[in-house]
Amino acid sequence: MPSLRHTIADDLRTQITTGHLSAGARLPSEPMLAAQYKVSTPTLRNALALLQAEGLIEKIHGKGNFVRHPLRRLTYTGGRLTPDPDLHVTIRTTNLRARGDLIPLLGVPSRTPLTEFLCLTHQGKSPHSLARIYVPQDLAPAQRPWHRSGVEESRDQISARHPTPEEATTLRISSTLAVLAITRVSTDTTGRVVEAARLVLPSDRAEALFVTHYTTKAKGQEG
């Protein structure tokens, strides 16, 4: 027998998929929904969390729960996100000093001047993904990071995890929704780290694509 939270989620999901609750619509307040379904507020919130984890609704602090517009999928391939004209990026630049795990990440001494680019991708008014990019300040910090030259090698480390509370709030996602966490470190010909990027891509709208190119030996060459 389905639990109360799943029964409520199923009913709201049906209303959303059939268009009874349209994209962008605000759901009734949580107390009103709890009264409508004759359940406690915690049970109602558990049901909403299921829909939030599916990417069907989003909770905006101080405003309520809203039906999401259909999510655009992001593809991460070759160290970059595939451009999408329906998504736009806002960038906030901050100067800081290397500390904590930024020191080994960039291979710099403590308190080395860095520039952080906080890049937040939006779909309409809804946040879609985020990235924090760190560059040593002596490497033209005013230059947009994805236009950087002089990169000899980039390494990507990819893992799946739950979002931090800050990430969940920024992206308006459930704390139970897994995210694709990508750490990309780029070095120049001397091995110096010229850029380190940390991307957070919610799993309900992202995928990683890996392409392998095989080279064949010249004709007549023996192994």
Side-chain angles (χ1 to χ4, degrees):
M1 180 178 180
S3 64
L4 286 174
R5 66 170 182 159
H6 284 94
T7 299
I8 296 168
D10 288 344
D11 182 56
L12 290 172
R13 187 185 300 107
T14 299
Q15 294 186 54
I16 293 171
T17 56
T18 59
H20 181 72
L21 288 171
S22 58
R26 182 182 185 276
L27 272 63
S29 68
E30 291 179 2
M32 289 180 63
L33 284 173
Q36 175 184 329
Y37 288 107
K38 299 179 181 179
V39 296
S40 65
T41 300
T43 298
L44 186 278
R45 287 177 177 167
N46 287 335
L48 295 179
L50 293 174
L51 300 177
Q52 192 177 8
E54 295 172 19
L56 292 177
I57 66 172
E58 63 177 336
K59 185 172 185 176
I60 302 177
H61 182 69
K63 294 185 178 181
N65 295 286
F66 293 80
V67 179
R68 275 189 181 274
H69 290 273
L71 296 173
R72 303 287 296 188
R73 290 196 67 80
L74 293 166
T75 300
Y76 184 82
T77 181
R80 296 181 182 276
L81 289 173
T82 302
D84 188 321
D86 291 330
L87 301 177
H88 64 278
V89 182
T90 59
I91 305 172
R92 187 181 72 195
T93 304
T94 304
N95 292 325
L96 46 80
R97 300 276 181 171
R99 58 185 177 82
D101 60 356
L102 290 180
I103 296 172
L105 181 66
L106 284 100
V108 296
S110 176
R111 300 191 58 77
T112 296
L114 306 173
T115 296
E116 178 192 67
F117 298 88
L118 175 60
C119 306
L120 187 60
T121 302
H122 288 80
Q123 179 181 340
K125 294 183 179 181
S126 300
H128 205 270
S129 64
L130 67 88
R132 294 181 184 273
I133 303 174
Y134 301 93
V135 180
Q137 281 187 23
D138 64 319
L139 296 177
Q143 186 182 27
R144 289 198 172 191
W146 49 84
H147 293 156
R148 185 161 304 285
S149 59
V151 174
E152 175 71 13
E153 180 182 89
S154 293
R155 291 179 178 271
D156 294 78
Q157 180 177 341
I158 302 176
S159 62
R161 59 171 173 79
H162 287 126
T164 65
E166 179 186 8
E167 291 167 350
T169 299
T170 300
L171 294 169
R172 300 179 197 164
I173 59 176
S174 168
S175 59
T176 62
L177 176 67
V179 298
L180 199 63
I182 303 173
T183 299
R184 180 177 176 83
V185 178
S186 301
T187 55
D188 62 14
T189 54
T190 68
R192 181 189 181 187
V193 177
V194 296
E195 178 182 297
R198 286 173 168 164
L199 292 79
V200 179
L201 312 178
S203 60
D204 62 352
R205 71 205 69 166
E207 60 189 6
L209 176 64
F210 300 93
V211 179
T212 302
H213 297 280
Y214 295 96
T215 58
T216 57
K217 295 180 180 180
K219 186 176 181 180
Q221 181 179 358
E222 296 182 1

